[in-house]
Amino acid sequence: SHIHRYMLKFNLACWGIPLIFPIVGVIWGQTDFANPKTCFLRQKYGLVTFYAPVILCILFNIFIFFRIAWSIFRKQSMDTGKKPISDLERRKKQFKFAI
């Protein structure tokens, strides 16, 4: 079914994309990846494998927040005299907007 296909795509994206950064760090650093004194990544590896994903995640969340806020603002400012839509049509629009 189409839901199974979307869930597979979402799972691959949600599990696969975060794996890219640690894999790159481990390949790049080999045994020199972690700092034994601090139990954290060495600075040159940490910038790429920790701080870059965190910054990307924050920027993505800000983007999604403003997209949703803009959609809500637009929805509220629309004409209320329009014909009411069915629940199915509303869900289709919501699903289309989410993707």
Side-chain angles (χ1 to χ4, degrees), residues 7-23:
M7 287 303 293
L8 180 63
K9 288 179 185 179
F10 291 144
N11 278 317
L12 288 174
C14 292
W15 288 98
I17 292 172
L19 278 177
I20 293 171
F21 295 99
I23 289 171

Side-chain angles (χ1 to χ4, degrees), residues 67-82:
R67 184 172 172 179
I68 291 171
W70 178 252
S71 175
I72 292 170
F73 175 74
R74 243 183 354 156
K75 184 85 168 164
Q76 288 177 348
S77 65
M78 289 174 61
D79 224 0
T80 57
K82 291 188 176 182

